[in-house]
């Protein structure tokens, strides 16, 4: 059941509204938002049904935790070999926010607390090609969480975690991050 009380048969319309409500930061996000809306309305499969890449593309929920000091949490994702936000694949019929709640519990052993910036709605939308075996396109809805500490995390999936000030992230080479991370940080900084 989706957060708005609709059934999975209404999930495309719900996702369309969620994506339409994201205010694009730049021309890149506007173009990707249009591509995502077209993909959702096309009737193509939305949810991953077989690891790692079937169907290609498929829906992902990312979440960036922010502490009271304004630092953002990145995780060293073992398979991707990159510093990324936490997150995971949206299950068939699952509300993308519920994916955030589930993945926060599984990956960071913490309770997801929606940020005051946008609440339980996506803040940023991207399409990115993954790296490595089974490369595919992730259609990602990015959420912002308020989270002050991470005591433990899934060490099978992550080699480490670190809190960084937004400016520190912008100083990191993009090759070691999600390809949209710098843009996300700039958008987040503009909305504070």
């Amino acid at each position: 059941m989706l957060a708005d009380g609709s059934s999975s048969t209404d999930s495309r319309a719900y996702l369309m509204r969620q994506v339409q409500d994201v205010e694009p930061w730049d021309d890149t996000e506007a173009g990707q938002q249009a591509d995502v809306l077209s993909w959702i309305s096309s009737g193509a499969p939305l949810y991953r049904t077989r690891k790692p890449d079937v169907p290609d593309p498929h829906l992902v929920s990312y979440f960036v935790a922010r502490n009271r000091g304004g630092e953002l949490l990145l995780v060293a994702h073992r398979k991707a070999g990159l510093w990324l936000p936490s997150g995971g694949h949206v299950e068939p019929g699952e509300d993308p926010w519920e994916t955030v709640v589930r993945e926060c519990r599984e990956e960071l052993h913490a309770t997801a607390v929606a940020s005051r910036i946008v609440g339980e709605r996506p803040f940023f939308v991207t399409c990115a090609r993954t790296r490595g075996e089974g490369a595919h396109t992730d259609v990602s809805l990015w959420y912002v969480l308020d989270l002050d500490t991470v005591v433990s995390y899934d060490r099978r999936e992550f080699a480490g975690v670190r809190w960084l000030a937004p400016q520190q992230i912008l100083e990191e080479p993009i090759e070691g991050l999600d390809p949209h991370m710098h843009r996300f940080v700039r958008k987040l900084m503009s909305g504070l």
Side-chain angles (χ1 to χ4, degrees):
M1 185 73 68
L2 299 174
D4 70 348
S6 63
S7 70
S8 61
T9 58
D10 299 324
S11 63
R12 281 185 195 276
Y14 176 78
L15 285 171
M16 291 284 289
R17 288 191 306 274
Q18 292 284 296
V19 173
Q20 287 168 336
D21 287 348
V22 174
E23 187 175 327
W25 164 245
D26 57 15
D27 290 342
T28 300
E29 187 176 12
Q32 291 187 2
Q33 181 184 45
D35 292 345
V36 170
L37 291 169
S38 177
W39 171 67
I40 294 169
S41 66
S42 75
L46 302 177
Y47 309 103
R48 184 177 75 174
T49 56
R50 191 173 69 229
K51 291 181 181 182
D53 58 353
V54 176
D56 183 13
H58 53 257
L59 192 60
V60 170
S61 285
Y62 262 163
F63 58 93
V64 179
R66 188 176 63 163
N67 65 22
R68 284 184 208 154
E71 295 172 313
L72 307 176
L73 182 73
L74 295 182
V75 298
H77 196 278
R78 291 186 189 276
K79 285 184 183 175
L82 299 171
W83 286 94
L84 305 171
S86 297
H89 295 90
V90 179
E91 298 295 330
E94 185 177 42
D95 181 319
W97 170 254
E98 289 303 316
T99 305
V100 170
V101 171
R102 176 176 50 79
E103 293 286 344
C104 189
R105 186 177 52 252
E106 292 173 4
E107 295 180 348
L108 302 180
H109 311 146
T111 300
V113 177
S115 170
R116 62 177 170 74
I117 295 172
V118 290
E120 297 178 1
R121 295 176 296 128
F123 177 75
F124 193 58
V125 60
T126 62
C127 299
R129 195 84 184 146
T130 64
R131 299 180 357 171
E133 188 177 331
H136 59 277
T137 299
D138 281 344
V139 174
S140 302
L141 303 179
W142 297 51
Y143 295 80
V144 181
L145 300 182
D146 290 334
L147 186 66
D148 284 320
T149 61
V150 173
V151 176
S152 66
Y153 57 90
D154 184 347
R155 294 181 185 278
R156 294 167 301 181
E157 191 164 356
F158 306 138
V161 300
R162 63 183 178 160
W163 292 96
L164 296 167
Q167 190 57 45
Q168 289 175 299
I169 294 173
L170 293 174
E171 292 167 1
E172 290 283 322
I174 197 66
E175 297 78 24
L177 304 170
D178 178 282
H180 300 288
M181 194 72 220
H182 286 169
R183 292 177 42 254
F184 169 84
V185 169
R186 287 186 185 102
K187 181 177 183 179
L188 185 64
M189 290 171 61
S190 76
L192 298 177

